[in-house]
Amino acid sequence: MVKRIGALVVVVVALILLLSSVFVVKEGEYRVVLRFSEAVKIHSEPGMKFKVPFIETTTSLPRYQMVYDDNKPTEILTKDKKPIIVDNYTVWKITSPQQFLRTLRTISSAESRIGDNVYSTVRRKLSEIEYGDIISENTARGDLNAEITREVAETADRQNYGIQIVDVRIKRTDLPEENKDSVYERMISDRQSIAAGYLSEGDEESRKITAAADRQARELIAKAESDAKMIIAEGEEEAARIYNEAYGKDANFYQLYRTLESYVTTIQDETIIMLPVDSPYTRILLGRE
């Protein structure tokens, strides 16, 4: 009976020792083995691991990227001393668990340090920019975010926290309630001024196009009239040549034809003409030729 109890005790002790020495590393976490509160080993691959029971302990740290957003928009003064409400978030991750535990120890402590650094950098960067440029549609917000990210990341590297700042983004910029109306009125006035400028430019361009079209039309009409006169002149010249060629074949007939034509032109309605009886014109008219 004593042997059985002793064997059972040994089994229980062995089981306790086994359970105390085994731990599981999950996906997406660092499992840090601590000996007297000092990190001695880091496990990042999922699976079952072992430690020295009762002497070593473990703690878990996230290996994935985390988003820090304290949801507390802060008021910052721009370069032209305009108050602006800024809300931002930070994406970060732990890269050195040992250094992280040595300097920051907890996630909440890390986020507090990150928040201080981000606020300081955002305040300084926005204080270098006028409010109109911040809210303008042409503002390179992407470049501003990149600059803030770079500076915050460099600060974290210098302080050797064992973390990496992946991205810092300004997700919202707004005005204090007491300043919104005046700024909105100024924005409306600016947009109306821009619209008036576009309309003025459009009218000027319209006048230029109309003037160019009128000038082109006058040039086309002038050229067409000139071409028409040349064609008429050429036609008249050709007709005269044909007449001369035809009439030159019989001079007497031509003279008679011209005389008859003159009768048609001269004797109209009640026209009275005094002619000598023996003149050639009269003899032809009387049929004596």
Side-chain angles (χ1 to χ4, degrees):
M1 187 66 179
V2 173
K3 290 183 179 180
R4 289 181 180 179
I5 294 173
L8 182 60
V9 170
V10 171
V11 171
V12 171
V13 171
L15 185 59
I16 292 173
L17 291 175
L18 178 62
L19 294 176
S20 300
S21 64
V22 175
F23 62 94
V24 177
V25 180
K26 299 178 182 179
E27 187 73 32
E29 75 169 353
Y30 293 109
R31 198 74 173 187
V32 184
V33 178
L34 302 172
R35 183 179 300 166
F36 307 114
S37 300
E38 186 69 26
V40 294
K41 190 178 294 185
I42 308 296
H43 295 283
S44 58
E45 294 298 324
M48 185 177 293
K49 310 294 179 182
F50 295 92
K51 63 179 178 63
V52 178
F54 307 115
I55 297 176
E56 294 179 344
T57 59
T58 64
T59 186
S60 177
L61 293 173
R63 191 158 59 95
Y64 50 81
Q65 291 185 355
M66 293 168 280
V67 178
Y68 170 62
D69 186 352
D70 60 2
N71 293 317
K72 295 179 180 178
T74 54
E75 185 173 305
I76 294 174
L77 288 178
T78 61
K79 184 178 180 180
D80 49 351
K81 306 304 179 184
K82 297 287 182 64
I84 183 173
I85 304 299
V86 178
D87 193 7
N88 51 263
Y89 67 89
T90 305
V91 180
W92 68 287
K93 66 179 180 179
I94 299 172
T95 54
S96 174
Q98 287 177 312
Q99 189 63 26
F100 178 84
L101 291 172
R102 188 177 297 116
T103 56
L104 298 173
R105 304 195 65 81
T106 64
I107 298 297
S108 60
S109 176
E111 290 180 340
S112 177
R113 295 289 181 90
I114 291 171
D116 292 341
N117 289 338
V118 170
Y119 172 74
S120 175
T121 304
V122 170
R123 182 180 60 182
R124 179 169 50 79
K125 296 298 292 185
L126 294 184
S127 68
E128 299 171 355
I129 305 174
E130 293 188 354
Y131 178 76
D133 294 331
I134 294 174
I135 66 173
S136 171
E137 296 175 357
N138 298 325
T139 299
R141 180 64 63 81
D143 293 341
L144 181 60
N145 288 328
E147 290 179 11
I148 293 173
T149 300
R150 177 179 55 78
E151 293 193 16
V152 174
E154 290 175 353
T155 300
D157 291 342
R158 285 196 304 270
Q159 294 171 338
N160 197 18
Y161 288 147
I163 64 174
Q164 177 187 352
I165 304 299
V166 179
D167 195 12
V168 179
R169 291 277 164 177
I170 297 175
K171 64 180 182 180
R172 182 171 68 92
T173 56
D174 206 351
L175 287 168
E177 290 297 329
E178 61 272 15
N179 295 344
K180 282 186 177 181
D181 290 341
S182 62
V183 173
Y184 289 160
E185 289 176 2
R186 183 172 65 84
M187 291 174 65
I188 292 172
S189 176
D190 290 343
R191 294 301 184 273
Q192 289 175 342
S193 177
I194 293 173
Y198 286 152
L199 290 173
S200 177
E201 291 176 3
D203 290 341
E204 179 65 22
E205 190 66 20
S206 174
R207 286 192 292 271
K208 289 181 180 179
I209 294 172
T210 301
D214 290 343
R215 183 174 62 254
Q216 186 176 9
R218 288 194 297 271
E219 291 175 353
L220 290 173
I221 292 172
K223 186 176 184 303
E225 291 176 347
S226 176
D227 292 345
K229 289 178 181 179
M230 291 182 62
I231 293 172
I232 291 172
E234 291 174 356
E236 290 177 347
E237 182 180 355
E238 181 66 16
R241 185 187 66 77
I242 293 172
Y243 282 136
N244 290 334
E245 184 179 343
Y247 296 147
K249 293 180 179 180
D250 190 340
N252 292 330
F253 175 77
Y254 176 67
Q255 183 178 1
L256 176 62
Y257 178 77
R258 293 290 292 174
T259 301
L260 294 175
E261 279 189 335
S262 70
Y263 292 158
V264 174
T265 304
T266 305
I267 304 173
Q268 293 182 3
D269 299 330
E270 298 180 358
T271 304
I272 300 175
I273 302 175
M274 305 294 292
L275 296 173
V277 177
D278 57 347
S279 69
Y281 195 82
T282 304
R283 290 198 300 271
I284 294 175
L285 182 61
L286 296 175
R288 294 177 181 175
E289 287 291 334

